[in-house]
Amino acid sequence: MSDDILRRAAAEARSASEPGWVDISASIQQKLRSVTRRSRPILAEADNGGPLYVADHVLVSHLRVAVNALPGCELARVSFVGEGGHVTGAVVEVMAPYGQDLAALAARIRTLTFEVVTELLGPVEPPFGTDGIDVTVTDLTDLR
């Protein structure tokens, strides 16, 4: 008898929706939509010389690994500059440790950024060098 009561209670609990669940669900879905980010295709060169598109998320994730490997540094944001699907530069924002030579750090990050871009995209058209990359330190951290 008690098994019967438990089964009925479980069935009723499963079939009854929680008050406001639809509203909560819609709210969660809206938040998820606002968090997701579309990826922009960037034109690269395939091994055979033909066109190939790489998602900008791929460039960002590789650059994040490279910058975060520098002691105390963290990539905050990056935007790739260009037109017609080509990258012609980048704007890089980083967090860096207090007391570090920021000019030297910015030069290193410009080099890293250019290396990541050319490694993943191949020869960049139109060509640009590290002078096409702006680096800004947006926050200083304490490494103690």
Side-chain angles (χ1 to χ4, degrees), residues 23 56 117 129 135:
D23 296 333
D56 67 348
V117 168
V135 176

Short mmCIF file of all heavy atoms in Angstrom, two decimals, residues 23 56 117 129 135:
data_model
loop_
_atom_site.label_atom_id
_atom_site.label_comp_id
_atom_site.label_asym_id
_atom_site.label_seq_id
_atom_site.Cartn_x
_atom_site.Cartn_y
_atom_site.Cartn_z
N ASP A 23 8.40 31.22 -16.57
CA ASP A 23 9.05 32.52 -16.48
C ASP A 23 10.53 32.37 -16.18
O ASP A 23 11.37 33.05 -16.75
CB ASP A 23 8.39 33.39 -15.40
CG ASP A 23 6.94 33.72 -15.75
OD1 ASP A 23 6.61 33.75 -16.95
OD2 ASP A 23 6.17 33.93 -14.80
N ASP A 56 37.22 33.90 -35.24
CA ASP A 56 38.03 34.78 -34.39
C ASP A 56 38.18 34.22 -32.98
O ASP A 56 39.15 34.50 -32.30
CB ASP A 56 37.50 36.20 -34.37
CG ASP A 56 36.14 36.39 -33.72
OD1 ASP A 56 35.46 35.39 -33.44
OD2 ASP A 56 35.77 37.56 -33.48
N VAL A 117 48.72 35.46 -34.84
CA VAL A 117 47.96 35.77 -36.05
C VAL A 117 48.60 35.12 -37.27
O VAL A 117 47.93 34.45 -38.06
CB VAL A 117 47.82 37.30 -36.25
CG1 VAL A 117 47.31 37.64 -37.64
CG2 VAL A 117 46.91 37.89 -35.19
N GLY A 129 52.75 44.65 -39.37
CA GLY A 129 53.70 44.14 -38.38
C GLY A 129 53.19 44.44 -37.00
O GLY A 129 52.02 44.73 -36.79
N VAL A 135 48.42 47.82 -27.68
CA VAL A 135 48.31 47.12 -26.40
C VAL A 135 48.02 48.14 -25.31
O VAL A 135 48.71 49.15 -25.21
CB VAL A 135 49.60 46.34 -26.07
CG1 VAL A 135 49.51 45.69 -24.70
CG2 VAL A 135 49.88 45.29 -27.14
#
